[in-house]
Amino acid sequence: MNIVIINGQNHKGSTRMIARELAEKVGGEITEFFLLRDFDEPCLGCWSCFKTDMTRCPHYEKLNPLTEAMDKANPIILASPVYVFHAPGQMMSFLDHYGTCWMVHRPKEQMFRKQGVCVATAAGGGTKGTNRDMYDSLLFWGVPKIYQLGFGVRAAGPDQIPEKILRRIHRETDVTAEKIHRNAGRSGVSVQGRFWFYTIRFAHKHFKRSEPDYSYWEQRGWHGKQRPWKTAIKSGNLERQEDK
Ligand SMILES: Cc1cc2nc3c(=O)[nH]c(=O)nc-3n(C[C@H](O)[C@H](O)[C@H](O)COP(=O)(O)O)c2cc1C
């Protein structure tokens, strides 16, 4: 498999250790990025991506290696330590750049055949909120299968994690890797994804047209019978995939 890990921290701490352990258990080619080292820009709120497309983003060149890696990868792993009960600012700044890829705007077809993983660690609490921060993006990009791994590691770094918690980490990464293999190659849509897709489709048909979103959907036949989760882009051809 072609796996990408986006680390919400520069250092190789507990969160990165768990994300890496999972990726190695899944097996395949692993590409890793570290925030801020590999991308350090906040969204400027210029609306260029919404009004035109992501190539007009002032940070397009810097962001593109990460975008291309995520487009190619399956699964996508987003991994963040908990900072004050949420994902660190650099992870949120990174995710802000993909607002235009949300289901309610212009989702990419290939996202509907990917699996996603959120990994969060805290000293004690806050992994739920942090995973939710990352989960929302994967969900709204269209990723149908998302796993969430959250651990209160009671440590400031990997070498301090108690043995009992380490055993839980090994067990849960085993189980998640197995699930990822079982679901490999499938495309589909989540219940929430389906809800949002049809809500936006309805809005496009009944309310004032919002461009360029409307044309994007129209070109892909989504206002008609085509559905992004029934097609996947392979070698430039649209092929029918298993419908979930
Ligand atoms: C700025 C900052 C804020 C933190 N906020 C929380 C928190 O809200 N809850 C918590 O349990 N741990 C918190 N921690 C502890 C880390 O989340 C925890 O040690 C985590 O496992 C570190 O992951 P890492 O080794 O991948 O960096 C915080 C740590 C830092 C540096």
Side-chain angles (χ1 to χ4, degrees):
M1 286 188 183
N2 194 342
I3 305 158
V4 68
I5 305 173
I6 310 287
N7 290 290
Q9 242 306 348
N10 272 337
H11 61 238
K12 297 179 177 172
S14 308
T15 326
R16 189 267 182 176
M17 180 203 80
I18 298 166
R20 186 80 201 184
E21 178 173 323
L22 174 66
E24 281 168 9
K25 283 177 180 174
V26 170
E29 194 182 318
I30 303 168
T31 308
E32 271 189 279
F33 294 96
F34 291 83
L35 308 174
L36 300 164
R37 187 194 74 188
D38 298 317
F39 186 73
D40 60 357
E41 300 286 355
C43 169
L44 301 177
C46 65
W47 284 75
S48 302
C49 60
F50 288 117
K51 286 194 237 156
T52 54
D53 60 58
M54 276 186 72
T55 62
R56 306 298 170 93
C57 172
H59 308 138
Y60 172 72
E61 298 295 337
K62 264 191 180 176
L63 189 64
N64 202 36
L66 288 79
T67 307
E68 281 187 350
M70 289 200 299
D71 284 349
K72 272 193 240 149
N74 191 6
I76 297 171
I77 302 177
L78 302 179
S80 278
V82 172
Y83 285 180
V84 289
F85 262 44
H86 288 277
Q90 54 266 31
M91 174 56 87
M92 298 315 291
S93 290
F94 165 71
L95 294 174
D96 287 347
H97 286 80
Y98 297 99
T100 188
C101 302
W102 274 41
M103 187 86 79
V104 294
H105 296 289
R106 281 161 272 151
K108 297 176 177 180
E109 283 100 331
Q110 66 258 44
M111 286 295 162
F112 293 83
R113 62 182 166 86
K114 291 190 195 294
Q115 301 187 72
V117 188
C118 307
V119 180
T121 74
T127 55
K128 234 181 178 173
T130 300
N131 271 337
R132 180 65 198 261
D133 292 334
M134 300 183 285
Y135 174 92
D136 280 346
S137 281
L138 291 170
L139 173 79
F140 277 93
W141 293 346
V143 176
K145 203 95 197 152
I146 307 165
Y147 313 94
Q148 298 182 68
L149 298 179
F151 301 96
V153 291
R154 281 192 252 137
D159 49 335
Q160 298 167 2
I161 303 176
E163 195 53 44
K164 197 173 157 201
I165 295 173
L166 272 179
R167 279 201 298 275
R168 217 188 100 217
I169 290 168
H170 300 327
R171 212 171 41 241
E172 289 196 26
T173 48
D174 276 343
V175 170
T176 308
E178 204 186 305
K179 285 184 186 165
I180 289 171
H181 274 288
R182 212 181 309 139
N183 291 311
R186 292 193 182 164
S187 71
V189 64
S190 63
V191 173
Q192 281 159 293
R194 189 184 290 270
F195 168 81
W196 282 108
F197 180 86
Y198 284 108
T199 302
I200 296 306
R201 187 172 175 271
F202 180 88
H204 280 192
K205 289 184 168 212
H206 294 91
F207 303 117
K208 192 171 170 279
R209 284 184 189 182
S210 167
E211 292 291 2
D213 295 0
Y214 184 92
S215 295
Y216 183 90
W217 283 56
E218 185 63 21
Q219 280 156 17
R220 284 159 180 76
W222 297 347
H223 295 135
K225 291 211 159 101
Q226 299 295 321
R227 296 291 174 264
W229 55 88
K230 291 188 183 173
T231 53
I233 300 164
K234 262 191 187 171
S235 334
N237 298 317
L238 281 178
E239 287 181 6
R240 201 171 165 80
Q241 292 269 303
E242 178 188 346
D243 189 12
K244 215 174 84 172

